[in-house]
Amino acid sequence: MMLLLLLLLLLLLPPAPAAPSPESVAAVNPCCYFPCQNKGVCVRFGLHQYECDCTRTGYHGRNCTSPEFWTWLRNALRPSPAFYHYILTHGRWFWDLINGTFIRDFLMRLVLTVRANRIPSPPTYNSAYGYISWEAYANVTYYTRVLPPVPDDCPTPMGVKGRKRLPDPGLLAERFLLRKSFVRDPQGTNLLFAFFAQHFTHQFFKTSGKMGRGFTKALGHGVDLGHVYGDSLERQHKLRLFKGGKLKHQVLNGEVYPPTVMETRANMTYPPGVPLHRQLAVGQEVFGLLPGLMVFATLWLREHNRVCDVLQAEHPSWADEQLFQTARLILIGETIKIVIEDYVQHLSGYHLRLKFDPELLFGVQFQYRNRIAVEFNQLYHWHPLMPDSFVVGDREYSYEEFVFNTSMLLDYGVESLVDAFSRQPAGQIGGGGNINRHILHVAIGVIEESRELRLQSFNEYRKRFGLKPYKSFQELTGEQEKASELQELYGDIDALEFYPGLLLEKCQPNAIFGESMVEIGAPFSLKGLLGNPVCSPEYWKPSTFGGETGFNIVKTASLRKLVCANVKTCPYVAFHVPAPAPGERPREPSSEL
């Protein structure tokens, strides 16, 4: 039993990265070789010399490759990510026992601290500053970066490895990312999950087109529900009713829906030809794009106004402003709980039952501030989730019929759309070859953005997050033909780009994507969630949320409660498709339209 607990203590710690052989640095900027390992920082001296700053890395030596004793011991005992993924996704009976004991809290604390500590805090770099600077720290109009840009005087786009010209982004997308036939996610992920992911992340992934790709318009840098309330005070005021703390709304057939653009004067993105009475206004200006996004916008609008009613009943002396502000804090807390206990739980496939309890971190060192990173934005482009068409009721909608279809929400209602999206399978993200042609341009844009911002290679990011770099494209993909084509295009596995690497990596067994997406993405996610102010000791108390009633709304939140508390009849709602009855075929579109 003690041996098992020791393994559980270590199972979520990252493995030691492999140390490369020293390179000659006589001809070019020596930092182009990325000689400093294990988070060591390369500092250039003169024209051809460098030093590696190994401070607090647990390593020493010229290239930070010699481990200190405790680092060596930890590396020797640490299991691989594949091992602990297997442990966490098998033996349900064992985890059912663990989930009912104090060990669950112990493991959850370990998950949170180990994952979150992989993200630098305070932030270190941005796309203009590849070294520590006050500007990189203080200028929140930038996305931050975990790794600095590739130096702009390197002989190849990835430093010194690979070809002098990277493959054409369109060619890469067509050959390796374009869907030939739909591959459903083996974990049973559905479209409701896909729309939740897109809705949730658009509050902090808002690249500024005017300022450039390294900049963000979402200055909150985290879960602030700017996609519900607007990302500026001016937009917020346009959406507020200024009565009872509530948001503006309209009532159609006895149900609450978002107000129109005409009523609010809040700017939204709609193409010409959309009737004015169908142009709904919500916090995020692009949510009219997809009915699935507007479903969640409507649910959170209803939830805000419902919570305001609860608060006003308990605090009749409160003014509109206090009701509004307190309701917003409650909804932020609800969001974080749903994301951890429903969304991340499903995504992980773990039998360990994840738990949202900020008090787990109150006894450890933790910073309650977050900055959104370019790498997290790149990583989260999960467009393989989208199907080839959309099934609602007895009808199948093509992309042309679905996009900017503002009538579907009002014609079908929230219940019907939630039920339909919960039953339709989403696509597998990893493994490549699963993006519908209608949205392939998004993947091309991500690749172009990564080049403009000079992101380091996929293997450099694997090393940064404690993973062993891949030695070949065959090892990456698990396929010989695809590996040979990639080798021809890139010339070296160490020249493979970050985003293509994430999508082309072979999936873990019966999983939605590969090892790197989990090991790189989870730290960003958990740091951003638990680093929210509402999770801090100063905020996490009943008075913040208007008393025990409001506090309990947060602590008992779930996806199902969010939906069922705000509709007339509770539909099937989950982030996974329902298990088919005996003899029943899974519900999927008949074909690409």
Side-chain angles (χ1 to χ4, degrees):
M1 185 64 184
M2 290 303 295
L3 178 60
L4 177 61
L5 286 176
L6 179 61
L7 286 175
L8 291 173
L9 274 169
L10 297 169
L11 57 81
L12 289 169
L13 297 176
S21 301
E23 298 278 1
S24 168
V25 295
V28 298
N29 178 352
C31 292
C32 290
Y33 290 89
F34 302 109
C36 306
Q37 305 302 302
N38 302 301
K39 301 183 184 179
V41 178
C42 183
V43 181
R44 186 178 185 181
F45 288 90
L47 294 178
H48 307 305
Q49 301 300 316
Y50 74 95
E51 287 184 7
C52 290
D53 185 347
C54 308
T55 304
R56 288 182 291 278
T57 63
Y59 291 83
H60 58 88
R62 175 169 171 77
N63 293 335
C64 307
T65 54
S66 299
E68 298 169 359
F69 173 75
W70 290 111
T71 303
W72 171 84
L73 181 62
R74 187 170 64 250
N75 291 341
L77 296 175
R78 179 185 294 137
S80 69
F83 174 81
Y84 66 69
H85 178 81
Y86 179 88
I87 293 295
L88 287 165
T89 55
H90 290 75
R92 182 182 290 275
W93 65 269
F94 170 77
W95 289 107
D96 286 344
L97 293 175
I98 292 295
N99 287 332
T101 71
F102 71 94
I103 299 176
R104 178 195 178 200
D105 284 359
F106 170 78
L107 292 176
M108 193 65 210
R109 184 183 295 109
L110 184 65
V111 169
L112 296 174
T113 53
V114 171
R115 295 289 199 193
N117 285 340
R118 296 185 196 176
I119 304 301
S121 185
T124 47
Y125 312 109
N126 64 28
S127 293
Y129 293 88
Y131 50 88
I132 298 294
S133 67
W134 186 256
E135 182 71 10
Y137 163 75
N139 191 341
V140 295
T141 61
Y142 279 100
Y143 288 111
T144 187
R145 293 176 68 142
V146 171
L147 287 180
V150 175
D152 56 13
D153 57 350
C154 295
T156 73
M158 291 295 139
V160 296
K161 300 290 186 68
R163 308 201 185 286
K164 293 185 179 296
R165 288 180 62 88
L166 290 168
D168 177 74
L171 174 67
L172 274 176
E174 288 277 345
R175 189 177 296 183
F176 299 105
L177 303 181
L178 177 65
R179 176 180 295 156
K180 277 63 175 184
S181 60
F182 178 75
V183 180
R184 64 180 288 170
D185 170 42
Q187 288 181 219
T189 303
N190 59 25
L191 278 192
L192 193 70
F193 175 94
F195 288 131
F196 184 94
Q198 193 171 7
H199 182 272
F200 168 70
T201 58
H202 271 61
Q203 66 187 298
F204 45 77
F205 293 152
K206 295 191 69 176
T207 300
S208 174
K210 293 182 178 179
M211 298 178 67
R213 286 172 160 167
F215 294 87
T216 175
K217 295 185 290 183
L219 303 185
H221 281 275
V223 183
D224 61 359
L225 270 56
H227 60 329
V228 175
Y229 302 109
D231 58 5
S232 68
L233 190 60
E234 178 187 8
R235 187 174 183 87
Q236 178 197 118
H237 284 180
K238 289 179 178 179
L239 297 173
R240 285 178 59 177
L241 187 61
F242 288 105
K243 182 179 180 181
K246 293 184 177 182
L247 295 170
K248 289 179 181 177
H249 57 279
Q250 58 176 319
V251 179
L252 301 172
N253 299 320
E255 294 190 302
V256 169
Y257 289 96
T260 64
V261 172
M262 286 190 301
E263 180 185 354
T264 62
R265 302 299 178 187
N267 180 59
M268 292 289 291
T269 302
Y270 288 105
V274 176
L276 293 178
H277 69 283
R278 296 289 190 177
Q279 294 185 17
L280 305 181
V282 296
Q284 229 290 3
E285 59 266 26
V286 302
F287 278 175
L289 176 69
L290 297 172
L293 300 178
M294 200 57 79
V295 162
F296 279 109
T298 303
L299 283 168
W300 285 115
L301 165 65
R302 293 179 182 181
E303 177 66 2
H304 175 90
N305 288 353
R306 184 188 75 84
V307 168
C308 284
D309 286 336
V310 172
L311 290 173
Q312 190 163 43
E314 289 209 343
H315 307 283
S317 65
W318 280 12
D320 168 78
E321 188 68 19
Q322 188 167 5
L323 291 168
F324 171 82
Q325 297 294 346
T326 304
R328 180 172 186 166
L329 290 175
I330 290 173
L331 264 66
I332 288 172
E334 287 187 82
T335 297
I336 296 173
K337 186 171 190 295
I338 291 170
V339 170
I340 290 177
E341 295 192 5
D342 287 313
Y343 178 87
V344 176
Q345 181 74 66
H346 168 76
L347 201 58
S348 70
Y350 293 168
H351 294 321
L352 169 66
R353 198 166 71 248
L354 303 183
K355 182 179 183 181
F356 172 51
D357 182 1
E359 293 184 24
L360 292 173
L361 296 178
F362 286 0
V364 301
Q365 183 179 2
F366 195 78
Q367 295 196 31
Y368 294 94
R369 186 180 182 187
N370 186 59
R371 285 280 292 278
I372 299 298
V374 162
E375 295 95 342
F376 193 34
N377 189 4
Q378 284 256 319
L379 173 147
Y380 230 118
H381 284 79
W382 291 352
H383 289 77
L385 288 169
M386 288 292 108
D388 290 327
S389 58
F390 305 85
V391 177
V392 180
D394 296 327
R395 183 169 174 190
E396 190 171 344
Y397 291 85
S398 68
Y399 273 79
E400 290 82 0
E401 295 170 317
F402 194 74
V403 171
F404 285 116
N405 187 335
T406 57
S407 299
M408 286 185 69
L409 175 67
L410 305 179
D411 291 344
Y412 283 102
V414 171
E415 294 101 320
S416 295
L417 291 183
V418 166
D419 187 86
F421 298 151
S422 295
R423 297 179 186 277
Q424 184 172 348
Q428 189 175 40
I429 296 173
N434 206 22
I435 300 181
N436 182 276
R437 180 172 292 279
H438 288 87
I439 49 179
L440 190 65
H441 68 278
V442 179
I444 295 173
V446 176
I447 296 171
E448 292 173 341
E449 176 185 80
S450 72
R451 296 178 183 183
E452 182 178 327
L453 300 180
R454 306 199 313 280
L455 261 67
Q456 293 187 31
S457 72
F458 180 59
N459 263 346
E460 289 299 324
Y461 278 101
R462 279 184 62 84
K463 290 190 289 185
R464 170 58 180 78
F465 283 86
L467 301 170
K468 292 181 179 179
Y470 283 113
K471 297 179 180 178
S472 68
F473 287 102
Q474 169 73 38
E475 185 184 11
L476 168 82
T477 64
E479 299 179 30
Q480 183 55 54
E481 182 178 353
K482 186 184 294 183
S484 298
E485 293 182 30
L486 288 167
Q487 177 67 40
E488 176 64 26
L489 288 172
Y490 280 101
D492 195 304
I493 184 64
D494 287 332
L496 177 65
E497 297 166 273
F498 180 60
Y499 182 64
L502 289 167
L503 289 193
L504 295 175
E505 183 180 38
K506 59 183 178 294
C507 292
Q508 298 187 95
N510 298 313
I512 192 169
F513 37 49
E515 173 185 82
S516 301
M517 192 78 80
V518 177
E519 298 301 316
I520 298 175
F524 285 117
S525 179
L526 293 176
K527 175 62 173 71
L529 293 168
L530 272 299
N532 193 283
V534 303
C535 300
S536 68
E538 290 298 321
Y539 279 60
W540 188 251
K541 58 184 79 170
S543 57
T544 299
F545 307 100
E548 289 293 346
T549 300
F551 205 17
N552 284 332
I553 292 175
V554 174
K555 292 192 288 186
T556 61
S558 70
L559 174 69
R560 182 172 178 80
K561 283 188 175 182
L562 171 66
V563 174
C564 295
N566 293 292
V567 294
K568 293 179 179 178
T569 58
C570 192
Y572 171 70
V573 52
F575 283 144
H576 56 83
V577 295
E584 181 185 1
R585 297 186 63 185
R587 184 174 187 176
E588 297 188 44
S590 57
S591 62
E592 183 173 354
L593 299 181

